[in-house]
Amino acid sequence: METQGKRQRKPAIGYTRTSSAANVGEGRDSVIRQRKAIQAYANKAGLQIVAWFDDPAVAGADAIDERPGFAAALEQIAGNGVRTIIVETANRFARDLIVQETGFRRLHADGITLIAADKPDSFVDDTPTAVLVRQILGAVAQFDKAMTVAKLRGARERKRRTTGRKVEGRKSLSESRPEAVAMARELGQRRPRLSLREISAELAEQGHTTPKGKPYSASAIASMLAA
């Protein structure tokens, strides 16, 4: 890897996108212009472009996962440890603000830094529009989570009504350890003076213990007797 003075230059990937086929091919300077701007920023910031990825004739509203070039960049990043992607401008990454924000969030969650050469803070600017989009995305994520929880709860309720059994959370002792519960209740009725710990000891002697092989706690025995 190249060095800048005594400082090692961090690797980065350059990404270009052209939205129209008219800007692609010999004699067209869109990709050349973008690469020059990206390279100039990389040189200034002490970064080394180790690979270039292009998406010719790809709309700025297309999700990043639907772009062959960007998908290839992510695949290479997964294996080479590079964690920086540079684009010429925020619009070259995505012209649609929703796609910008969702794409940026996806990359940020994966530990990947996205930089616009013309304005490095573009993707973290707190403009009113950007803040609104982030709030909307947050609300949508919260709504999706709430809907998922509600659907799961509804499914559990329907199963409970159909089977009459508890289907959510950890199984009760009467469901997971029916033999131990039956013996505990028998001991409690037959020998009412036994303490909870004494019942636990009796169960352990008969081979009824917790999954870890330990005697049941007093609270567990109390739950068995109340079942």
Side-chain angles (χ1 to χ4, degrees):
M1 188 177 298
E2 295 180 15
T3 59
Q4 186 178 46
K6 294 183 178 180
R7 184 178 62 183
Q8 193 174 41
R9 301 174 67 188
K10 292 177 59 177
I13 282 175
Y15 172 73
T16 69
R17 180 189 64 80
T18 53
S19 57
S20 172
N23 293 323
V24 180
E26 188 176 353
R28 307 299 179 180
D29 67 352
S30 179
V31 172
I32 296 174
R33 187 199 69 244
Q34 291 180 57
R35 288 195 175 196
K36 284 183 177 179
I38 292 169
Q39 187 65 66
Y41 173 81
N43 294 340
K44 183 179 178 180
L47 299 170
Q48 179 187 359
I49 303 297
V50 295
W52 292 96
F53 292 89
D54 308 308
D55 268 320
V58 169
D62 289 354
I64 61 175
D65 290 335
E66 299 174 1
R67 306 176 184 183
F70 204 87
L74 293 178
E75 184 177 350
Q76 183 171 119
I77 280 178
N80 66 8
V82 177
R83 286 296 177 267
T84 302
I85 297 177
I86 308 174
V87 294
E88 180 194 24
T89 67
N91 284 344
R92 282 299 158 193
F93 174 62
R95 193 168 294 280
D96 186 293
L97 189 54
I98 295 287
V99 177
Q100 274 189 24
E101 288 293 331
T102 53
F104 174 77
R105 283 189 175 205
R106 151 79 187 281
L107 295 174
H108 182 71
D110 291 341
I112 300 170
T113 300
L114 180 65
I115 301 174
D118 70 327
K119 191 179 179 184
D121 294 331
S122 294
F123 298 105
V124 293
D125 273 353
D126 288 329
T127 63
T129 303
V131 170
L132 176 61
V133 170
R134 290 166 196 160
Q135 290 173 341
I136 292 173
L137 292 175
V140 170
Q142 185 176 0
F143 174 77
D144 285 343
K145 182 178 180 180
M147 286 296 293
T148 300
V149 171
K151 289 178 181 178
L152 292 174
R153 184 185 300 117
R156 289 195 296 264
E157 291 294 339
R158 286 191 296 273
K159 188 170 182 179
R160 181 185 291 126
R161 288 194 297 268
T162 302
T163 64
R165 298 179 62 188
K166 182 179 180 182
V167 294
E168 62 179 326
R170 184 179 299 175
K171 288 185 177 180
S172 64
L173 287 169
S174 60
E175 292 178 309
S176 61
R177 297 289 189 274
E179 294 180 358
V181 171
M183 180 171 287
R185 296 182 68 180
E186 181 183 348
L187 286 171
Q189 294 172 358
R190 181 159 47 88
R191 300 167 62 185
R193 293 187 178 181
L194 284 177
S195 68
L196 297 176
R197 294 191 182 281
E198 288 172 333
I199 293 176
S200 175
E202 290 274 357
L203 290 179
E205 288 182 4
Q206 298 298 321
H208 297 295
T209 59
T210 68
K212 294 183 178 181
K214 297 182 179 180
Y216 286 103
S217 65
S219 60
I221 298 298
S223 297
M224 291 180 183
L225 297 178

